Amino acid sequence: MFRRLPEIETAAEAVAFTIDGRPANARAGDSVAAALLANGITACRNTPVSGAARGPYCMMGVCFDCLVTIDGTGNRQGCQVRVAPGMAVETQNGKREVER
Amino acid sequence: MSAPKFDFDIAVVGSGPAGLAAAALAASKGASVVLLDEQAEPGGQIYRAVTETPVRDRKVLGPDYWHGAELLGPLRDSGAAHWPGATVWSVARPREDGPDGERSIQIGLSRNGAAAMLIVRHVILATGALERPFPIPGWTLPGVLGAGAAQVLLKTSGLVPSGATVMAGSGPLLWLLAWQYLQAGARIDAILDTTPKQNWRAALPLLPGFLRSPYLAKGMKLMLEVRRKLTVIGNVTALRADGDGALKSVTYTRNGTEHRLPADTLLLHHGVVPNLNLANATGCAQRWDEQQRCWRPTTDAWGATSVEGVSLAGDGAGIGGARAAEEAGRLAALDALHRLGRIGREQRDQLAAPHRAALDRALTGRAFLDTLYTPAEAFRAPADDTIVCRCEEITAGAVREAVRLGCSGPNQAKSFLRCGMGPCQGRLCGPTVTEVIAAERGVSPAEVGYYRLRPPVKPITLAELAALPKTDADIDAVFKH
Ligand SMILES: Cc1cc2nc3c(=O)[nH]c(=O)nc-3n(C[C@H](O)[C@H](O)[C@H](O)COP(=O)(O)OP(=O)(O)OC[C@H]3O[C@@H](n4cnc5c(N)ncnc54)[C@H](O)[C@@H]3O)c2cc1C
Ligand code: FES
């Protein structure tokens, strides 16, 4: 679980987006992975191999454990994409589906 | 607006201290330079988000962090093109097919979801470091992150852990993060120090060098403050993360006894190792470094690799820290200018002298730190039930089993187990797989070898590739080597 430093909470310009269809807020400049953690979500996908839950581990584009579906496109690295107003982020279940 | 340029004298990959310094110097001497980085802003790992961090209280991140801002002015003034958000997935071997047999190197990159090819005459790879894998049972549970990852969250988003927080591992970066958390008023329940006691014996003879290190005073101050204010539990020899779908507790062994701590967040750190995938896939020779216990590309004093026209600077060539990276970047830039015929040998050497002296100063005492903070073998080659390859969920036990069936190195492990075949391309399991196989075979990691990598070094979508204008050379750059 993560929280925002108090000095930032007050200064934050909120970016409204959705996580699995539910409304959420982030700060401009947050990566999608950071925005999920800031909203109390530590697991963002289940692995295609065993179905185990995974969440962001490296935050620098190395581990691919932050994979999510962003605006309908699967397998995006949440730590490498900035959250944008109106973005639809979905947690990812197993493999990327063929058509997205 | 004029059309974007796709032809440069020099491409620098990575905008950490090494790349920022290299690009600024090379461009200031008249070369056309492009600086590429997959991140949205310059800074690399240490100066991550230095232009736009929301953490305004300068004492939280400390003075070393803010030094990064001083590298940006020279870059701007130099006129180098700067392309953030550009992931480089291939650097082709050079061809001598330009006018008058001029060298050309083709670089494949993705930017804004579209792929593009650049033609350059020299490449400086400044791809930096990544955290050494720290495989323990349960390290794949949500709630377990790298300490470096937590630091990225602090720098870019001002996020700190809430709830029960445990840090575990060894090395300067762990102490730095703990200190930054103290400044920020974040909660840390305990630090589990895994530095092996016996490392001191090996490190002591190297202490005199460290006593002359510019980092000594800074490091000691920071460490003493952390030790005074936080619970630090030393001599931890085993660790496990437990939970069902999310981290609940951390179990550690000290003096042969197990203890358990409740935890919502566990931050792991065992130092950093070079991020060598791009250099490896480009065909640069590499060697096993026994002192840093990692593979590093082979370079000369200027960062030149075994591939003509490709040089390396910074932590990607071997861990030396940010100040060393910066100076190594300048040396690589001067050598590239020389090789491109922009400056003579004498001028190169003359301009390099102060940077070489500064590099030597920055590297003073490194051997002591490397030796003291070498993780124990139990963490480098973990017990059978520990996942080593996070992508394919392969355990250390499965790797050992494969060795018994005749698997002699990491490349064979790929075909036996799919180990290292996932999207991270072995970045996170490579060092562990090497260590596990070496220990099981009773030979040195140098003999076991490393993954042979191929471009693209980062997964790119077929759509991105399909959108490329394709010449034969383009196709070669991606598929042949
Ligand atoms: C997570 C993390 C945090 C760290 N924090 C600190 C710290 O606070 N203090 C400290 O002293 N040291 C820190 N270090 C160690 C540290 O990385 C350095 O000593 C220093 O940043 C090295 O500088 P560099 O220029 O060699 O590489 P880096 O600063 O690592 O920069 C490398 C850059 O290359 C880019 N890159 C890599 N591959 C590609 C590619 N294929 N395409 C495009 N771009 C690419 C990366 O995005 C990155 O920006 C940290 C290391 C890590 C891994
Ligand atoms: S958290 Fe590791 S790739 Fe995003």
Side-chain angles (χ1 to χ4, degrees), chain B residues 272-316:
Chain B
V272 298
V273 295
N275 175 4
L276 44 70
N277 281 35
L278 195 53
N280 181 320
T282 305
C284 300
Q286 57 187 39
R287 66 181 177 86
W288 173 255
D289 181 330
E290 185 59 30
Q291 192 159 48
Q292 298 192 336
R293 285 208 85 84
C294 62
W295 292 95
R296 63 195 283 180
T298 314
T299 51
D300 71 6
W302 300 94
T305 68
S306 63
V307 178
E308 182 63 31
V310 177
S311 36
L312 263 163
D315 275 2

Short mmCIF file of all heavy atoms in Angstrom, two decimals, chain B residues 272-316:
data_model
loop_
_atom_site.label_atom_id
_atom_site.label_comp_id
_atom_site.label_asym_id
_atom_site.label_seq_id
_atom_site.Cartn_x
_atom_site.Cartn_y
_atom_site.Cartn_z
N VAL B 272 22.93 -3.30 -7.66
CA VAL B 272 22.52 -3.18 -9.06
C VAL B 272 23.55 -3.85 -9.96
O VAL B 272 24.71 -4.01 -9.58
CB VAL B 272 22.32 -1.69 -9.48
CG1 VAL B 272 21.22 -1.07 -8.66
CG2 VAL B 272 23.60 -0.89 -9.35
N VAL B 273 23.10 -4.25 -11.13
CA VAL B 273 23.97 -4.90 -12.13
C VAL B 273 23.76 -4.19 -13.47
O VAL B 273 22.72 -3.56 -13.69
CB VAL B 273 23.65 -6.41 -12.27
CG1 VAL B 273 23.96 -7.16 -10.98
CG2 VAL B 273 22.20 -6.63 -12.68
N PRO B 274 24.74 -4.27 -14.37
CA PRO B 274 24.58 -3.58 -15.65
C PRO B 274 23.37 -4.08 -16.43
O PRO B 274 23.07 -5.28 -16.43
CB PRO B 274 25.88 -3.94 -16.41
CG PRO B 274 26.86 -4.29 -15.35
CD PRO B 274 26.06 -4.92 -14.24
N ASN B 275 22.69 -3.14 -17.08
CA ASN B 275 21.60 -3.48 -17.99
C ASN B 275 22.24 -3.69 -19.35
O ASN B 275 22.47 -2.75 -20.09
CB ASN B 275 20.62 -2.31 -18.02
CG ASN B 275 19.51 -2.49 -19.04
OD1 ASN B 275 19.42 -3.53 -19.69
ND2 ASN B 275 18.68 -1.48 -19.18
N LEU B 276 22.56 -4.95 -19.67
CA LEU B 276 23.42 -5.17 -20.84
C LEU B 276 22.69 -5.76 -22.03
O LEU B 276 23.32 -6.15 -23.01
CB LEU B 276 24.62 -6.03 -20.45
CG LEU B 276 24.40 -7.25 -19.56
CD1 LEU B 276 23.68 -8.34 -20.30
CD2 LEU B 276 25.73 -7.73 -19.03
N ASN B 277 21.35 -5.82 -21.97
CA ASN B 277 20.65 -6.50 -23.06
C ASN B 277 20.93 -5.92 -24.43
O ASN B 277 21.14 -6.66 -25.40
CB ASN B 277 19.14 -6.50 -22.79
CG ASN B 277 18.76 -7.57 -21.80
OD1 ASN B 277 19.52 -7.84 -20.87
ND2 ASN B 277 17.61 -8.18 -21.98
N LEU B 278 20.92 -4.60 -24.54
CA LEU B 278 21.11 -3.99 -25.86
C LEU B 278 22.54 -4.24 -26.34
O LEU B 278 22.75 -4.60 -27.51
CB LEU B 278 20.80 -2.49 -25.77
CG LEU B 278 20.58 -1.77 -27.09
CD1 LEU B 278 19.55 -2.44 -27.97
CD2 LEU B 278 20.17 -0.31 -26.82
N ALA B 279 23.52 -4.10 -25.46
CA ALA B 279 24.91 -4.36 -25.84
C ALA B 279 25.09 -5.82 -26.24
O ALA B 279 25.73 -6.12 -27.25
CB ALA B 279 25.85 -4.00 -24.68
N ASN B 280 24.50 -6.71 -25.49
CA ASN B 280 24.59 -8.14 -25.78
C ASN B 280 23.97 -8.44 -27.15
O ASN B 280 24.57 -9.11 -27.99
CB ASN B 280 23.88 -8.90 -24.64
CG ASN B 280 23.94 -10.41 -24.80
OD1 ASN B 280 23.80 -10.93 -25.89
ND2 ASN B 280 24.12 -11.13 -23.70
N ALA B 281 22.77 -7.91 -27.38
CA ALA B 281 22.09 -8.19 -28.64
C ALA B 281 22.80 -7.54 -29.82
O ALA B 281 22.63 -7.96 -30.97
CB ALA B 281 20.63 -7.71 -28.56
N THR B 282 23.57 -6.49 -29.56
CA THR B 282 24.33 -5.84 -30.63
C THR B 282 25.59 -6.63 -30.96
O THR B 282 26.27 -6.35 -31.94
CB THR B 282 24.68 -4.39 -30.20
OG1 THR B 282 23.46 -3.73 -29.85
CG2 THR B 282 25.34 -3.59 -31.30
N GLY B 283 25.90 -7.59 -30.10
CA GLY B 283 27.06 -8.45 -30.38
C GLY B 283 28.32 -8.03 -29.64
O GLY B 283 29.40 -8.53 -29.95
N CYS B 284 28.19 -7.12 -28.67
CA CYS B 284 29.37 -6.69 -27.91
C CYS B 284 29.83 -7.84 -27.00
O CYS B 284 29.02 -8.43 -26.28
CB CYS B 284 29.04 -5.49 -27.04
SG CYS B 284 28.48 -4.06 -27.98
N ALA B 285 31.12 -8.11 -27.02
CA ALA B 285 31.66 -9.16 -26.15
C ALA B 285 31.45 -8.76 -24.70
O ALA B 285 31.46 -7.58 -24.36
CB ALA B 285 33.15 -9.34 -26.44
N GLN B 286 31.24 -9.75 -23.84
CA GLN B 286 31.10 -9.46 -22.42
C GLN B 286 31.89 -10.47 -21.61
O GLN B 286 32.26 -11.52 -22.09
CB GLN B 286 29.62 -9.45 -22.02
CG GLN B 286 28.87 -10.74 -22.33
CD GLN B 286 27.37 -10.60 -22.07
OE1 GLN B 286 26.79 -9.57 -22.36
NE2 GLN B 286 26.77 -11.64 -21.52
N ARG B 287 32.17 -10.11 -20.35
CA ARG B 287 32.93 -11.02 -19.50
C ARG B 287 32.30 -11.04 -18.11
O ARG B 287 31.59 -10.13 -17.72
CB ARG B 287 34.39 -10.57 -19.41
CG ARG B 287 34.55 -9.24 -18.70
CD ARG B 287 36.01 -8.79 -18.64
NE ARG B 287 36.11 -7.48 -18.02
CZ ARG B 287 36.18 -7.27 -16.71
NH1 ARG B 287 36.19 -8.28 -15.87
NH2 ARG B 287 36.25 -6.04 -16.22
N TRP B 288 32.60 -12.12 -17.39
CA TRP B 288 32.11 -12.26 -16.01
C TRP B 288 33.01 -11.44 -15.09
O TRP B 288 34.24 -11.57 -15.14
CB TRP B 288 32.10 -13.73 -15.60
CG TRP B 288 31.79 -13.94 -14.16
CD1 TRP B 288 32.66 -14.27 -13.15
CD2 TRP B 288 30.50 -13.86 -13.54
NE1 TRP B 288 32.00 -14.38 -11.96
CE2 TRP B 288 30.67 -14.14 -12.16
CE3 TRP B 288 29.21 -13.56 -14.02
CZ2 TRP B 288 29.60 -14.14 -11.27
CZ3 TRP B 288 28.15 -13.55 -13.11
CH2 TRP B 288 28.36 -13.84 -11.76
N ASP B 289 32.44 -10.58 -14.27
CA ASP B 289 33.19 -9.80 -13.31
C ASP B 289 33.02 -10.44 -11.94
O ASP B 289 31.94 -10.40 -11.35
CB ASP B 289 32.65 -8.35 -13.30
CG ASP B 289 33.40 -7.45 -12.33
OD1 ASP B 289 33.90 -7.96 -11.30
OD2 ASP B 289 33.46 -6.24 -12.59
N GLU B 290 34.09 -11.05 -11.45
CA GLU B 290 34.00 -11.82 -10.21
C GLU B 290 33.72 -10.89 -9.01
O GLU B 290 32.94 -11.22 -8.13
CB GLU B 290 35.30 -12.59 -10.01
CG GLU B 290 35.32 -13.54 -8.83
CD GLU B 290 34.24 -14.63 -8.88
OE1 GLU B 290 33.85 -15.05 -10.00
OE2 GLU B 290 33.78 -15.05 -7.79
N GLN B 291 34.34 -9.70 -9.02
CA GLN B 291 34.18 -8.81 -7.88
C GLN B 291 32.73 -8.28 -7.78
O GLN B 291 32.15 -8.24 -6.71
CB GLN B 291 35.14 -7.65 -7.98
CG GLN B 291 35.23 -6.85 -6.70
CD GLN B 291 36.52 -6.04 -6.64
OE1 GLN B 291 36.87 -5.36 -7.59
NE2 GLN B 291 37.22 -6.14 -5.54
N GLN B 292 32.16 -7.89 -8.92
CA GLN B 292 30.77 -7.39 -8.88
C GLN B 292 29.76 -8.50 -9.09
O GLN B 292 28.57 -8.28 -9.06
CB GLN B 292 30.57 -6.27 -9.91
CG GLN B 292 31.46 -5.05 -9.64
CD GLN B 292 31.08 -3.82 -10.46
OE1 GLN B 292 30.47 -3.91 -11.52
NE2 GLN B 292 31.46 -2.65 -9.96
N ARG B 293 30.23 -9.69 -9.32
CA ARG B 293 29.40 -10.86 -9.59
C ARG B 293 28.28 -10.54 -10.58
O ARG B 293 27.08 -10.62 -10.28
CB ARG B 293 28.81 -11.43 -8.29
CG ARG B 293 29.85 -12.20 -7.47
CD ARG B 293 29.27 -13.28 -6.63
NE ARG B 293 29.08 -14.54 -7.35
CZ ARG B 293 30.02 -15.45 -7.51
NH1 ARG B 293 31.22 -15.28 -7.04
NH2 ARG B 293 29.76 -16.57 -8.17
N CYS B 294 28.74 -10.17 -11.77
CA CYS B 294 27.77 -9.92 -12.84
C CYS B 294 28.52 -9.97 -14.17
O CYS B 294 29.74 -9.95 -14.20
CB CYS B 294 27.14 -8.54 -12.67
SG CYS B 294 28.33 -7.20 -12.79
N TRP B 295 27.75 -10.07 -15.24
CA TRP B 295 28.33 -9.96 -16.58
C TRP B 295 28.44 -8.49 -16.91
O TRP B 295 27.58 -7.69 -16.55
CB TRP B 295 27.45 -10.66 -17.61
CG TRP B 295 27.44 -12.13 -17.41
CD1 TRP B 295 26.54 -12.86 -16.71
CD2 TRP B 295 28.42 -13.06 -17.89
NE1 TRP B 295 26.88 -14.18 -16.72
CE2 TRP B 295 28.04 -14.34 -17.45
CE3 TRP B 295 29.58 -12.94 -18.66
CZ2 TRP B 295 28.76 -15.48 -17.73
CZ3 TRP B 295 30.30 -14.08 -18.95
CH2 TRP B 295 29.90 -15.33 -18.49
N ARG B 296 29.55 -8.13 -17.59
CA ARG B 296 29.67 -6.76 -18.08
C ARG B 296 30.33 -6.78 -19.44
O ARG B 296 31.20 -7.59 -19.71
CB ARG B 296 30.45 -5.89 -17.09
CG ARG B 296 31.89 -6.33 -16.86
CD ARG B 296 32.48 -5.69 -15.64
NE ARG B 296 32.86 -4.32 -15.87
CZ ARG B 296 33.42 -3.54 -14.92
NH1 ARG B 296 33.64 -4.03 -13.72
NH2 ARG B 296 33.77 -2.33 -15.18
N PRO B 297 29.84 -5.89 -20.33
CA PRO B 297 30.43 -5.84 -21.66
C PRO B 297 31.90 -5.44 -21.55
O PRO B 297 32.28 -4.67 -20.67
CB PRO B 297 29.62 -4.76 -22.37
CG PRO B 297 28.35 -4.65 -21.59
CD PRO B 297 28.73 -4.95 -20.17
N THR B 298 32.72 -6.00 -22.42
CA THR B 298 34.15 -5.68 -22.42
C THR B 298 34.35 -4.32 -23.08
O THR B 298 33.88 -4.10 -24.19
CB THR B 298 34.90 -6.75 -23.23
OG1 THR B 298 34.41 -8.03 -22.83
CG2 THR B 298 36.39 -6.70 -22.98
N THR B 299 35.06 -3.43 -22.39
CA THR B 299 35.30 -2.10 -22.96
C THR B 299 36.75 -1.70 -22.73
O THR B 299 37.39 -2.19 -21.79
CB THR B 299 34.42 -1.02 -22.30
OG1 THR B 299 34.57 -1.12 -20.88
CG2 THR B 299 32.96 -1.17 -22.65
N ASP B 300 37.26 -0.76 -23.55
CA ASP B 300 38.58 -0.20 -23.27
C ASP B 300 38.42 1.04 -22.40
O ASP B 300 37.31 1.35 -21.93
CB ASP B 300 39.36 0.05 -24.58
CG ASP B 300 38.79 1.23 -25.36
OD1 ASP B 300 37.86 1.92 -24.86
OD2 ASP B 300 39.27 1.46 -26.49
N ALA B 301 39.50 1.78 -22.21
CA ALA B 301 39.48 2.92 -21.29
C ALA B 301 38.55 4.04 -21.76
O ALA B 301 38.23 4.95 -21.01
CB ALA B 301 40.89 3.46 -21.11
N TRP B 302 38.12 3.97 -23.03
CA TRP B 302 37.22 5.00 -23.56
C TRP B 302 35.79 4.48 -23.66
O TRP B 302 34.90 5.18 -24.17
CB TRP B 302 37.69 5.43 -24.95
CG TRP B 302 39.06 6.01 -24.93
CD1 TRP B 302 40.23 5.33 -25.16
CD2 TRP B 302 39.42 7.36 -24.64
NE1 TRP B 302 41.29 6.20 -25.04
CE2 TRP B 302 40.82 7.45 -24.72
CE3 TRP B 302 38.69 8.52 -24.33
CZ2 TRP B 302 41.51 8.63 -24.50
CZ3 TRP B 302 39.38 9.69 -24.10
CH2 TRP B 302 40.79 9.76 -24.19
N GLY B 303 35.58 3.27 -23.27
CA GLY B 303 34.23 2.70 -23.38
C GLY B 303 33.97 2.01 -24.71
O GLY B 303 32.85 1.55 -24.97
N ALA B 304 35.01 1.92 -25.57
CA ALA B 304 34.81 1.25 -26.86
C ALA B 304 34.59 -0.24 -26.64
O ALA B 304 35.26 -0.85 -25.81
CB ALA B 304 36.01 1.49 -27.76
N THR B 305 33.64 -0.82 -27.36
CA THR B 305 33.33 -2.24 -27.22
C THR B 305 34.01 -3.03 -28.33
O THR B 305 34.73 -2.46 -29.15
CB THR B 305 31.82 -2.50 -27.33
OG1 THR B 305 31.42 -2.22 -28.69
CG2 THR B 305 31.02 -1.61 -26.38
N SER B 306 33.71 -4.31 -28.40
CA SER B 306 34.29 -5.15 -29.45
C SER B 306 33.63 -4.88 -30.80
O SER B 306 34.09 -5.36 -31.82
CB SER B 306 34.12 -6.63 -29.07
OG SER B 306 32.74 -6.94 -29.00
N VAL B 307 32.53 -4.13 -30.83
CA VAL B 307 31.88 -3.78 -32.10
C VAL B 307 32.29 -2.36 -32.48
O VAL B 307 32.03 -1.41 -31.74
CB VAL B 307 30.34 -3.88 -31.97
CG1 VAL B 307 29.67 -3.46 -33.28
CG2 VAL B 307 29.91 -5.28 -31.59
N GLU B 308 32.94 -2.23 -33.62
CA GLU B 308 33.41 -0.93 -34.11
C GLU B 308 32.22 0.03 -34.19
O GLU B 308 31.16 -0.32 -34.69
CB GLU B 308 34.02 -1.14 -35.51
CG GLU B 308 34.60 0.09 -36.17
CD GLU B 308 35.78 0.68 -35.39
OE1 GLU B 308 36.50 -0.10 -34.75
OE2 GLU B 308 35.94 1.91 -35.44
N GLY B 309 32.41 1.24 -33.65
CA GLY B 309 31.35 2.24 -33.75
C GLY B 309 30.34 2.19 -32.63
O GLY B 309 29.42 3.00 -32.58
N VAL B 310 30.48 1.23 -31.73
CA VAL B 310 29.55 1.14 -30.59
C VAL B 310 30.35 1.26 -29.30
O VAL B 310 31.25 0.46 -29.05
CB VAL B 310 28.78 -0.20 -30.59
CG1 VAL B 310 27.88 -0.30 -29.35
CG2 VAL B 310 27.96 -0.35 -31.86
N SER B 311 30.07 2.29 -28.50
CA SER B 311 30.74 2.36 -27.21
C SER B 311 29.72 2.41 -26.08
O SER B 311 28.52 2.58 -26.31
CB SER B 311 31.73 3.51 -27.14
OG SER B 311 31.27 4.63 -27.83
N LEU B 312 30.22 2.24 -24.89
CA LEU B 312 29.38 2.11 -23.71
C LEU B 312 29.86 3.08 -22.65
O LEU B 312 31.06 3.28 -22.50
CB LEU B 312 29.58 0.71 -23.12
CG LEU B 312 28.58 -0.36 -23.47
CD1 LEU B 312 29.18 -1.70 -23.16
CD2 LEU B 312 27.30 -0.18 -22.68
N ALA B 313 28.93 3.66 -21.91
CA ALA B 313 29.34 4.54 -20.82
C ALA B 313 28.39 4.36 -19.65
O ALA B 313 27.20 4.11 -19.83
CB ALA B 313 29.32 5.99 -21.28
N GLY B 314 28.92 4.50 -18.45
CA GLY B 314 28.09 4.46 -17.25
C GLY B 314 27.91 3.07 -16.68
O GLY B 314 28.67 2.15 -17.01
N ASP B 315 26.89 2.92 -15.85
CA ASP B 315 26.69 1.67 -15.13
C ASP B 315 26.43 0.48 -16.06
O ASP B 315 26.62 -0.66 -15.67
CB ASP B 315 25.53 1.81 -14.14
CG ASP B 315 25.99 2.39 -12.80
OD1 ASP B 315 27.19 2.71 -12.68
OD2 ASP B 315 25.16 2.51 -11.87
N GLY B 316 26.02 0.74 -17.29
CA GLY B 316 25.80 -0.33 -18.25
C GLY B 316 27.08 -1.05 -18.61
O GLY B 316 27.06 -2.17 -19.12
#
